[in-house]
Amino acid sequence: MAGVQTAVALREQGFPGTVTLIGAEPHQPYDRPPLSKAVLLGNAEGSAFDVDFEALGIELHLGREATGVRLADHGLDTESGPVPYDVLVLATGAEPVTLPGAEGVPGVHLLRTLDDAERLRPVLALQHDIVVVGAGWIGAEFATAAREAGCAVTVVEAADRPLAGALPADVAAPMSAWYADSGAVLRTHARVRSVEPGAVVLDDGTRVPAGAVVVGIGARPATRWLAGSGIELGWYGEVVADDHLRTSAPDVYAVGDCASFPSGRYGERLMVHHWDNALQGPRTVAANIIGEAPAVYDPVPYFWSEQFGRFVQYVGHHTTADATVWRGDPAGPAWSVCWLREGRLAALLAVGRPRDLAQGRRLIEAGTVLDPELLADPARPLKAATA
């Protein structure tokens, strides 16, 4: 997503030079969100971008993995030889974290690429008993698709709740009931000891039958190929970019899942592994490459997830908030949570309340001061809760 959008944005903003898009996968560039549902369930054969690369004068080099960068020579090394560059944009995304000890065990799957989704589609069609390791966003979305396909699903999560790494305990707690409502089993405080053909063994000795195992325990920036290149990498292995998405190396930018950037809005460095970041960041990169109107990247992060019949949306960044306001009953089908910092909206989670999300995003961008008592009334539009 980030690489394609950068190439397209360069052309849209009038860049006249050569644009080359290099990718390790052999497929035409594709969008990832449909993989966890439409492609899995056979409702879509693929999710290729509707982009006429030839008409835009964008050269595609597919099935060509990058292996290193030579900064002094302005050269990118690939499996099939070096590629010179004037400007290099790193948009390698993230790769899924594997489950220790499960590599090579038959029936163990990850879900990140089109090939992963194609391998899992017949598994769902056979209606296997499926164990999902990890109750994060991707685990919940896959469990949803597997239940729709008629599979028996058990989700095992080491933490005490779903989405433990993403949301506070009180916000994530109501989501536990969604699994049972859909007919899936959620087992928390459940660590995997081992994976065997036909079963997952938990650390308490319990054996959970598994015709297939899907691992969704997170992702890390796909940057190991940059080790020793001279390009600064951060604590999580991400490319450290500045507020213009420039890296520590001259003429090298980084965008999307593989990069972190400083947020003036939130006062900390952010690493955002979501689709909207891979859509917005490329426009900033293109503007800064062309150089006519240098642009600072300081977005309000946004993402969405469709799980268990619910549309979940999140906007902002809640970790620095000093107050939380609920709108609606979290046991019901539609509710929101607002995080405030010094009276201003810092982040919002909306379940089945898209209007809250749209208005909340604008309020965050504007830095509007809100009245918590008015905000807590779910019948009142967010925009009418100003102090």
Short mmCIF file of all heavy atoms in Angstrom, two decimals, residues 7-70:
data_model
loop_
_atom_site.label_atom_id
_atom_site.label_comp_id
_atom_site.label_asym_id
_atom_site.label_seq_id
_atom_site.Cartn_x
_atom_site.Cartn_y
_atom_site.Cartn_z
N ALA A 7 4.37 5.93 -5.21
CA ALA A 7 4.60 6.04 -6.65
C ALA A 7 3.49 6.84 -7.33
O ALA A 7 3.74 7.72 -8.16
CB ALA A 7 4.70 4.64 -7.27
N VAL A 8 2.24 6.54 -6.96
CA VAL A 8 1.10 7.25 -7.55
C VAL A 8 1.12 8.73 -7.16
O VAL A 8 0.88 9.62 -7.99
CB VAL A 8 -0.22 6.59 -7.12
CG1 VAL A 8 -1.41 7.43 -7.54
CG2 VAL A 8 -0.33 5.18 -7.73
N ALA A 9 1.42 9.01 -5.87
CA ALA A 9 1.44 10.39 -5.40
C ALA A 9 2.51 11.21 -6.11
O ALA A 9 2.31 12.39 -6.40
CB ALA A 9 1.65 10.44 -3.89
N LEU A 10 3.65 10.60 -6.41
CA LEU A 10 4.69 11.32 -7.15
C LEU A 10 4.18 11.78 -8.51
O LEU A 10 4.39 12.92 -8.91
CB LEU A 10 5.92 10.42 -7.32
CG LEU A 10 6.82 10.28 -6.10
CD1 LEU A 10 7.78 9.11 -6.27
CD2 LEU A 10 7.59 11.57 -5.84
N ARG A 11 3.47 10.91 -9.18
CA ARG A 11 2.91 11.28 -10.49
C ARG A 11 1.80 12.31 -10.34
O ARG A 11 1.73 13.29 -11.09
CB ARG A 11 2.40 10.04 -11.21
CG ARG A 11 3.51 9.09 -11.69
CD ARG A 11 4.42 9.80 -12.68
NE ARG A 11 5.36 8.87 -13.31
CZ ARG A 11 6.66 9.10 -13.43
NH1 ARG A 11 7.18 10.22 -12.92
NH2 ARG A 11 7.44 8.23 -14.02
N GLU A 12 0.93 12.12 -9.36
CA GLU A 12 -0.17 13.07 -9.16
C GLU A 12 0.35 14.47 -8.83
O GLU A 12 -0.26 15.48 -9.20
CB GLU A 12 -1.08 12.58 -8.03
CG GLU A 12 -1.94 11.38 -8.41
CD GLU A 12 -2.81 10.89 -7.27
OE1 GLU A 12 -2.54 11.27 -6.11
OE2 GLU A 12 -3.74 10.13 -7.53
N GLN A 13 1.49 14.53 -8.15
CA GLN A 13 2.05 15.82 -7.77
C GLN A 13 3.04 16.36 -8.81
O GLN A 13 3.70 17.37 -8.58
CB GLN A 13 2.70 15.71 -6.39
CG GLN A 13 1.71 15.40 -5.28
CD GLN A 13 2.36 15.31 -3.90
OE1 GLN A 13 3.35 15.99 -3.63
NE2 GLN A 13 1.79 14.48 -3.03
N GLY A 14 3.12 15.67 -9.96
CA GLY A 14 3.87 16.23 -11.08
C GLY A 14 5.32 15.82 -11.19
O GLY A 14 6.08 16.45 -11.94
N PHE A 15 5.73 14.78 -10.49
CA PHE A 15 7.13 14.35 -10.59
C PHE A 15 7.41 13.82 -11.99
O PHE A 15 6.73 12.90 -12.46
CB PHE A 15 7.42 13.26 -9.55
CG PHE A 15 8.84 12.76 -9.57
CD1 PHE A 15 9.87 13.56 -9.09
CD2 PHE A 15 9.15 11.50 -10.06
CE1 PHE A 15 11.18 13.10 -9.10
CE2 PHE A 15 10.45 11.04 -10.08
CZ PHE A 15 11.47 11.85 -9.60
N PRO A 16 8.41 14.34 -12.70
CA PRO A 16 8.62 13.95 -14.10
C PRO A 16 9.63 12.82 -14.30
O PRO A 16 9.73 12.29 -15.41
CB PRO A 16 9.17 15.24 -14.71
CG PRO A 16 9.96 15.86 -13.60
CD PRO A 16 9.24 15.51 -12.33
N GLY A 17 10.36 12.45 -13.26
CA GLY A 17 11.46 11.50 -13.45
C GLY A 17 11.02 10.05 -13.45
O GLY A 17 9.83 9.73 -13.42
N THR A 18 12.00 9.17 -13.48
CA THR A 18 11.73 7.73 -13.46
C THR A 18 11.24 7.30 -12.08
O THR A 18 11.79 7.72 -11.07
CB THR A 18 13.01 6.95 -13.80
OG1 THR A 18 13.46 7.35 -15.09
CG2 THR A 18 12.76 5.45 -13.79
N VAL A 19 10.19 6.49 -12.06
CA VAL A 19 9.68 5.92 -10.81
C VAL A 19 9.69 4.41 -10.96
O VAL A 19 9.04 3.86 -11.86
CB VAL A 19 8.26 6.42 -10.50
CG1 VAL A 19 7.73 5.75 -9.21
CG2 VAL A 19 8.22 7.92 -10.35
N THR A 20 10.43 3.74 -10.09
CA THR A 20 10.54 2.28 -10.13
C THR A 20 10.01 1.71 -8.82
O THR A 20 10.42 2.14 -7.74
CB THR A 20 12.01 1.84 -10.31
OG1 THR A 20 12.53 2.46 -11.49
CG2 THR A 20 12.12 0.34 -10.44
N LEU A 21 9.09 0.76 -8.92
CA LEU A 21 8.48 0.13 -7.76
C LEU A 21 8.95 -1.32 -7.70
O LEU A 21 8.70 -2.10 -8.62
CB LEU A 21 6.95 0.19 -7.88
CG LEU A 21 6.11 -0.28 -6.70
CD1 LEU A 21 6.40 0.54 -5.45
CD2 LEU A 21 4.63 -0.19 -7.04
N ILE A 22 9.67 -1.66 -6.63
CA ILE A 22 10.28 -2.99 -6.49
C ILE A 22 9.60 -3.71 -5.34
O ILE A 22 9.45 -3.16 -4.24
CB ILE A 22 11.80 -2.86 -6.21
CG1 ILE A 22 12.49 -2.16 -7.38
CG2 ILE A 22 12.42 -4.22 -5.95
CD1 ILE A 22 13.95 -1.83 -7.13
N GLY A 23 9.18 -4.95 -5.57
CA GLY A 23 8.52 -5.73 -4.53
C GLY A 23 8.95 -7.18 -4.55
O GLY A 23 9.20 -7.75 -5.62
N ALA A 24 9.05 -7.79 -3.37
CA ALA A 24 9.49 -9.18 -3.28
C ALA A 24 8.44 -10.17 -3.77
O ALA A 24 8.78 -11.24 -4.28
CB ALA A 24 9.87 -9.50 -1.83
N GLU A 25 7.16 -9.81 -3.64
CA GLU A 25 6.11 -10.75 -4.04
C GLU A 25 5.92 -10.74 -5.56
O GLU A 25 6.09 -9.70 -6.20
CB GLU A 25 4.80 -10.41 -3.34
CG GLU A 25 4.84 -10.64 -1.84
CD GLU A 25 3.49 -10.39 -1.19
OE1 GLU A 25 2.55 -11.14 -1.49
OE2 GLU A 25 3.38 -9.45 -0.38
N PRO A 26 5.53 -11.87 -6.13
CA PRO A 26 5.38 -11.94 -7.59
C PRO A 26 4.05 -11.37 -8.09
O PRO A 26 3.89 -11.18 -9.29
CB PRO A 26 5.44 -13.44 -7.88
CG PRO A 26 4.91 -14.09 -6.63
CD PRO A 26 5.38 -13.21 -5.50
N HIS A 27 3.13 -11.10 -7.17
CA HIS A 27 1.79 -10.66 -7.56
C HIS A 27 1.77 -9.18 -7.92
O HIS A 27 2.58 -8.40 -7.43
CB HIS A 27 0.79 -10.91 -6.43
CG HIS A 27 0.88 -12.29 -5.85
ND1 HIS A 27 0.43 -13.39 -6.53
CD2 HIS A 27 1.37 -12.74 -4.67
CE1 HIS A 27 0.64 -14.47 -5.79
NE2 HIS A 27 1.21 -14.11 -4.67
N GLN A 28 0.78 -8.81 -8.73
CA GLN A 28 0.50 -7.39 -8.93
C GLN A 28 0.23 -6.77 -7.55
O GLN A 28 -0.38 -7.41 -6.69
CB GLN A 28 -0.72 -7.21 -9.84
CG GLN A 28 -0.44 -7.47 -11.31
CD GLN A 28 0.38 -6.34 -11.94
OE1 GLN A 28 0.05 -5.18 -11.81
NE2 GLN A 28 1.44 -6.72 -12.63
N PRO A 29 0.67 -5.54 -7.31
CA PRO A 29 0.46 -4.92 -6.00
C PRO A 29 -1.01 -4.98 -5.58
O PRO A 29 -1.90 -4.72 -6.38
CB PRO A 29 0.92 -3.48 -6.22
CG PRO A 29 1.95 -3.59 -7.31
CD PRO A 29 1.44 -4.67 -8.22
N TYR A 30 -1.23 -5.34 -4.32
CA TYR A 30 -2.59 -5.56 -3.85
C TYR A 30 -2.81 -4.94 -2.48
O TYR A 30 -1.88 -4.63 -1.74
CB TYR A 30 -2.91 -7.05 -3.81
CG TYR A 30 -2.00 -7.86 -2.89
CD1 TYR A 30 -2.32 -8.03 -1.55
CD2 TYR A 30 -0.85 -8.47 -3.38
CE1 TYR A 30 -1.50 -8.77 -0.71
CE2 TYR A 30 -0.02 -9.21 -2.55
CZ TYR A 30 -0.35 -9.36 -1.22
OH TYR A 30 0.46 -10.07 -0.38
N ASP A 31 -4.09 -4.79 -2.14
CA ASP A 31 -4.52 -4.22 -0.88
C ASP A 31 -4.68 -5.36 0.13
O ASP A 31 -5.13 -6.45 -0.22
CB ASP A 31 -5.85 -3.50 -1.10
CG ASP A 31 -6.09 -2.40 -0.10
OD1 ASP A 31 -5.18 -2.12 0.71
OD2 ASP A 31 -7.18 -1.81 -0.12
N ARG A 32 -4.37 -5.10 1.41
CA ARG A 32 -4.39 -6.18 2.39
C ARG A 32 -5.71 -6.39 3.14
O ARG A 32 -6.03 -7.53 3.49
CB ARG A 32 -3.28 -5.98 3.43
CG ARG A 32 -1.90 -6.14 2.83
CD ARG A 32 -0.82 -6.21 3.89
NE ARG A 32 0.49 -6.17 3.25
CZ ARG A 32 1.10 -7.21 2.71
NH1 ARG A 32 0.52 -8.40 2.72
NH2 ARG A 32 2.28 -7.08 2.16
N PRO A 33 -6.50 -5.35 3.45
CA PRO A 33 -7.71 -5.59 4.25
C PRO A 33 -8.63 -6.69 3.73
O PRO A 33 -9.17 -7.46 4.54
CB PRO A 33 -8.40 -4.22 4.26
CG PRO A 33 -7.26 -3.25 4.21
CD PRO A 33 -6.27 -3.89 3.27
N PRO A 34 -8.83 -6.85 2.41
CA PRO A 34 -9.73 -7.92 1.96
C PRO A 34 -9.21 -9.33 2.25
O PRO A 34 -9.98 -10.29 2.20
CB PRO A 34 -9.82 -7.70 0.44
CG PRO A 34 -9.45 -6.27 0.22
CD PRO A 34 -8.42 -5.98 1.27
N LEU A 35 -7.91 -9.46 2.57
CA LEU A 35 -7.35 -10.80 2.75
C LEU A 35 -7.98 -11.52 3.93
O LEU A 35 -8.14 -12.74 3.90
CB LEU A 35 -5.83 -10.73 2.97
CG LEU A 35 -4.99 -10.10 1.85
CD1 LEU A 35 -3.51 -10.22 2.19
CD2 LEU A 35 -5.28 -10.76 0.51
N SER A 36 -8.33 -10.77 4.99
CA SER A 36 -8.81 -11.43 6.20
C SER A 36 -10.28 -11.81 6.14
O SER A 36 -10.79 -12.43 7.05
CB SER A 36 -8.55 -10.53 7.42
OG SER A 36 -9.26 -9.32 7.31
N LYS A 37 -10.96 -11.45 5.05
CA LYS A 37 -12.36 -11.85 4.94
C LYS A 37 -12.73 -12.24 3.52
O LYS A 37 -12.98 -13.40 3.23
CB LYS A 37 -13.28 -10.73 5.44
CG LYS A 37 -14.73 -11.17 5.49
CD LYS A 37 -15.60 -10.20 6.25
CE LYS A 37 -17.03 -10.74 6.36
NZ LYS A 37 -17.93 -9.81 7.07
N ALA A 38 -12.76 -11.27 2.60
CA ALA A 38 -13.27 -11.54 1.25
C ALA A 38 -12.47 -12.61 0.53
O ALA A 38 -13.03 -13.53 -0.07
CB ALA A 38 -13.29 -10.24 0.43
N VAL A 39 -11.14 -12.52 0.59
CA VAL A 39 -10.31 -13.51 -0.10
C VAL A 39 -10.40 -14.86 0.61
O VAL A 39 -10.53 -15.91 -0.02
CB VAL A 39 -8.85 -13.03 -0.20
CG1 VAL A 39 -7.96 -14.11 -0.80
CG2 VAL A 39 -8.77 -11.76 -1.05
N LEU A 40 -10.37 -14.83 1.95
CA LEU A 40 -10.45 -16.06 2.72
C LEU A 40 -11.73 -16.84 2.43
O LEU A 40 -11.71 -18.07 2.33
CB LEU A 40 -10.42 -15.75 4.22
CG LEU A 40 -9.07 -15.64 4.91
CD1 LEU A 40 -9.30 -15.31 6.38
CD2 LEU A 40 -8.26 -16.90 4.78
N LEU A 41 -12.83 -16.12 2.33
CA LEU A 41 -14.13 -16.77 2.17
C LEU A 41 -14.50 -17.00 0.72
O LEU A 41 -15.61 -17.43 0.41
CB LEU A 41 -15.21 -15.94 2.86
CG LEU A 41 -15.06 -15.82 4.39
CD1 LEU A 41 -16.13 -14.89 4.96
CD2 LEU A 41 -15.14 -17.19 5.05
N GLY A 42 -13.58 -16.67 -0.19
CA GLY A 42 -13.84 -16.92 -1.60
C GLY A 42 -14.74 -15.91 -2.26
O GLY A 42 -15.27 -16.15 -3.35
N ASN A 43 -14.93 -14.76 -1.60
CA ASN A 43 -15.77 -13.72 -2.18
C ASN A 43 -14.99 -12.78 -3.10
O ASN A 43 -15.56 -11.88 -3.70
CB ASN A 43 -16.43 -12.90 -1.07
CG ASN A 43 -17.33 -13.75 -0.19
OD1 ASN A 43 -17.91 -14.72 -0.67
ND2 ASN A 43 -17.41 -13.43 1.08
N ALA A 44 -13.67 -12.97 -3.14
CA ALA A 44 -12.83 -12.16 -4.03
C ALA A 44 -11.62 -13.00 -4.40
O ALA A 44 -11.06 -13.68 -3.56
CB ALA A 44 -12.39 -10.87 -3.33
N GLU A 45 -11.24 -12.96 -5.65
CA GLU A 45 -10.09 -13.74 -6.10
C GLU A 45 -8.78 -13.07 -5.70
O GLU A 45 -7.76 -13.71 -5.58
CB GLU A 45 -10.14 -13.94 -7.62
CG GLU A 45 -11.22 -14.91 -8.06
CD GLU A 45 -11.07 -16.27 -7.39
OE1 GLU A 45 -9.95 -16.82 -7.37
OE2 GLU A 45 -12.06 -16.78 -6.85
N GLY A 46 -8.81 -11.80 -5.51
CA GLY A 46 -7.62 -11.05 -5.13
C GLY A 46 -8.03 -9.65 -4.75
O GLY A 46 -9.21 -9.34 -4.63
N SER A 47 -7.05 -8.81 -4.53
CA SER A 47 -7.36 -7.44 -4.16
C SER A 47 -6.36 -6.49 -4.79
O SER A 47 -5.87 -5.58 -4.15
CB SER A 47 -7.36 -7.29 -2.63
OG SER A 47 -6.13 -7.74 -2.08
N ALA A 48 -6.07 -6.74 -6.07
CA ALA A 48 -5.10 -5.91 -6.78
C ALA A 48 -5.57 -4.46 -6.86
O ALA A 48 -6.77 -4.19 -7.02
CB ALA A 48 -4.86 -6.45 -8.18
N PHE A 49 -4.62 -3.53 -6.72
CA PHE A 49 -4.96 -2.12 -6.83
C PHE A 49 -5.42 -1.79 -8.24
O PHE A 49 -4.85 -2.29 -9.22
CB PHE A 49 -3.75 -1.25 -6.48
CG PHE A 49 -3.39 -1.27 -5.02
CD1 PHE A 49 -2.21 -1.84 -4.60
CD2 PHE A 49 -4.22 -0.69 -4.08
CE1 PHE A 49 -1.86 -1.86 -3.26
CE2 PHE A 49 -3.89 -0.69 -2.73
CZ PHE A 49 -2.70 -1.28 -2.32
N ASP A 50 -6.41 -0.94 -8.32
CA ASP A 50 -6.90 -0.49 -9.63
C ASP A 50 -6.04 0.69 -10.08
O ASP A 50 -6.47 1.84 -10.07
CB ASP A 50 -8.38 -0.07 -9.53
CG ASP A 50 -8.96 0.29 -10.88
OD1 ASP A 50 -8.37 -0.08 -11.90
OD2 ASP A 50 -10.01 0.97 -10.90
N VAL A 51 -4.81 0.37 -10.44
CA VAL A 51 -3.83 1.39 -10.85
C VAL A 51 -3.24 0.96 -12.18
O VAL A 51 -2.78 -0.18 -12.33
CB VAL A 51 -2.71 1.54 -9.80
CG1 VAL A 51 -1.64 2.52 -10.31
CG2 VAL A 51 -3.27 2.02 -8.47
N ASP A 52 -3.26 1.85 -13.16
CA ASP A 52 -2.63 1.57 -14.46
C ASP A 52 -1.19 2.05 -14.40
O ASP A 52 -0.87 3.19 -14.71
CB ASP A 52 -3.40 2.29 -15.58
CG ASP A 52 -2.95 1.84 -16.97
OD1 ASP A 52 -1.80 1.37 -17.10
OD2 ASP A 52 -3.75 1.96 -17.92
N PHE A 53 -0.32 1.15 -13.94
CA PHE A 53 1.08 1.53 -13.74
C PHE A 53 1.75 1.95 -15.05
O PHE A 53 2.56 2.87 -15.07
CB PHE A 53 1.84 0.37 -13.08
CG PHE A 53 1.38 0.06 -11.69
CD1 PHE A 53 0.53 -1.02 -11.44
CD2 PHE A 53 1.77 0.84 -10.62
CE1 PHE A 53 0.10 -1.30 -10.16
CE2 PHE A 53 1.35 0.57 -9.33
CZ PHE A 53 0.51 -0.50 -9.10
N GLU A 54 1.40 1.27 -16.11
CA GLU A 54 2.00 1.60 -17.41
C GLU A 54 1.61 3.02 -17.84
O GLU A 54 2.47 3.79 -18.29
CB GLU A 54 1.58 0.58 -18.46
CG GLU A 54 2.28 0.77 -19.82
CD GLU A 54 1.91 -0.31 -20.81
OE1 GLU A 54 1.18 -1.26 -20.43
OE2 GLU A 54 2.35 -0.22 -21.96
N ALA A 55 0.34 3.35 -17.68
CA ALA A 55 -0.12 4.68 -18.08
C ALA A 55 0.54 5.77 -17.24
O ALA A 55 0.77 6.88 -17.72
CB ALA A 55 -1.64 4.77 -17.97
N LEU A 56 0.85 5.44 -15.98
CA LEU A 56 1.48 6.42 -15.09
C LEU A 56 3.01 6.45 -15.27
O LEU A 56 3.68 7.27 -14.64
CB LEU A 56 1.15 6.11 -13.63
CG LEU A 56 -0.30 6.37 -13.19
CD1 LEU A 56 -0.53 5.85 -11.78
CD2 LEU A 56 -0.62 7.86 -13.27
N GLY A 57 3.52 5.56 -16.10
CA GLY A 57 4.96 5.53 -16.29
C GLY A 57 5.71 5.02 -15.07
O GLY A 57 6.82 5.46 -14.77
N ILE A 58 5.10 4.08 -14.35
CA ILE A 58 5.73 3.48 -13.17
C ILE A 58 6.24 2.10 -13.54
O ILE A 58 5.47 1.23 -13.98
CB ILE A 58 4.72 3.38 -12.01
CG1 ILE A 58 4.27 4.78 -11.58
CG2 ILE A 58 5.34 2.64 -10.82
CD1 ILE A 58 3.10 4.78 -10.61
N GLU A 59 7.53 1.88 -13.40
CA GLU A 59 8.14 0.58 -13.72
C GLU A 59 7.94 -0.37 -12.55
O GLU A 59 8.31 -0.06 -11.41
CB GLU A 59 9.63 0.73 -14.00
CG GLU A 59 9.98 1.56 -15.22
CD GLU A 59 11.48 1.62 -15.44
OE1 GLU A 59 12.20 0.72 -14.93
OE2 GLU A 59 11.94 2.57 -16.10
N LEU A 60 7.37 -1.54 -12.82
CA LEU A 60 7.17 -2.55 -11.78
C LEU A 60 8.23 -3.62 -11.90
O LEU A 60 8.46 -4.19 -12.98
CB LEU A 60 5.79 -3.21 -11.93
CG LEU A 60 4.55 -2.47 -11.44
CD1 LEU A 60 3.32 -3.36 -11.61
CD2 LEU A 60 4.71 -2.07 -9.99
N HIS A 61 8.89 -3.92 -10.79
CA HIS A 61 9.83 -5.03 -10.71
C HIS A 61 9.30 -5.97 -9.63
O HIS A 61 9.53 -5.72 -8.44
CB HIS A 61 11.23 -4.54 -10.38
CG HIS A 61 11.88 -3.75 -11.46
ND1 HIS A 61 13.11 -4.07 -12.01
CD2 HIS A 61 11.47 -2.65 -12.14
CE1 HIS A 61 13.43 -3.20 -12.96
NE2 HIS A 61 12.43 -2.32 -13.05
N LEU A 62 8.59 -7.00 -10.03
CA LEU A 62 7.94 -7.91 -9.09
C LEU A 62 8.80 -9.14 -8.85
O LEU A 62 9.62 -9.52 -9.68
CB LEU A 62 6.56 -8.31 -9.61
CG LEU A 62 5.61 -7.14 -9.92
CD1 LEU A 62 4.32 -7.65 -10.52
CD2 LEU A 62 5.34 -6.32 -8.67
N GLY A 63 8.60 -9.78 -7.71
CA GLY A 63 9.37 -10.97 -7.38
C GLY A 63 10.85 -10.68 -7.22
O GLY A 63 11.69 -11.53 -7.50
N ARG A 64 11.16 -9.47 -6.76
CA ARG A 64 12.56 -9.04 -6.67
C ARG A 64 12.80 -8.50 -5.26
O ARG A 64 12.41 -7.38 -4.94
CB ARG A 64 12.84 -7.97 -7.72
CG ARG A 64 14.30 -7.59 -7.87
CD ARG A 64 14.48 -6.68 -9.07
NE ARG A 64 15.89 -6.38 -9.31
CZ ARG A 64 16.34 -5.65 -10.33
NH1 ARG A 64 15.47 -5.15 -11.21
NH2 ARG A 64 17.62 -5.42 -10.47
N GLU A 65 13.43 -9.29 -4.44
CA GLU A 65 13.61 -8.93 -3.04
C GLU A 65 14.83 -8.04 -2.86
O GLU A 65 15.91 -8.31 -3.40
CB GLU A 65 13.75 -10.19 -2.18
CG GLU A 65 13.82 -9.90 -0.69
CD GLU A 65 13.74 -11.15 0.15
OE1 GLU A 65 13.56 -12.24 -0.41
OE2 GLU A 65 13.87 -11.03 1.39
N ALA A 66 14.67 -6.99 -2.07
CA ALA A 66 15.80 -6.12 -1.73
C ALA A 66 16.64 -6.80 -0.65
O ALA A 66 16.11 -7.40 0.29
CB ALA A 66 15.29 -4.77 -1.24
N THR A 67 17.96 -6.69 -0.79
CA THR A 67 18.87 -7.37 0.14
C THR A 67 19.78 -6.41 0.89
O THR A 67 20.40 -6.80 1.87
CB THR A 67 19.72 -8.41 -0.60
OG1 THR A 67 20.45 -7.76 -1.65
CG2 THR A 67 18.84 -9.51 -1.20
N GLY A 68 19.90 -5.17 0.43
CA GLY A 68 20.78 -4.24 1.12
C GLY A 68 20.82 -2.89 0.43
O GLY A 68 20.34 -2.74 -0.70
N VAL A 69 21.40 -1.91 1.13
CA VAL A 69 21.54 -0.56 0.58
C VAL A 69 23.00 -0.13 0.73
O VAL A 69 23.61 -0.33 1.79
CB VAL A 69 20.64 0.45 1.33
CG1 VAL A 69 20.79 1.85 0.73
CG2 VAL A 69 19.18 0.03 1.27
N ARG A 70 23.55 0.45 -0.32
CA ARG A 70 24.90 1.04 -0.28
C ARG A 70 24.73 2.55 -0.39
O ARG A 70 24.57 3.10 -1.47
CB ARG A 70 25.75 0.47 -1.41
CG ARG A 70 26.19 -0.97 -1.19
CD ARG A 70 26.87 -1.59 -2.39
NE ARG A 70 25.91 -1.85 -3.47
CZ ARG A 70 25.82 -1.12 -4.57
NH1 ARG A 70 26.61 -0.08 -4.76
NH2 ARG A 70 24.93 -1.42 -5.50
#
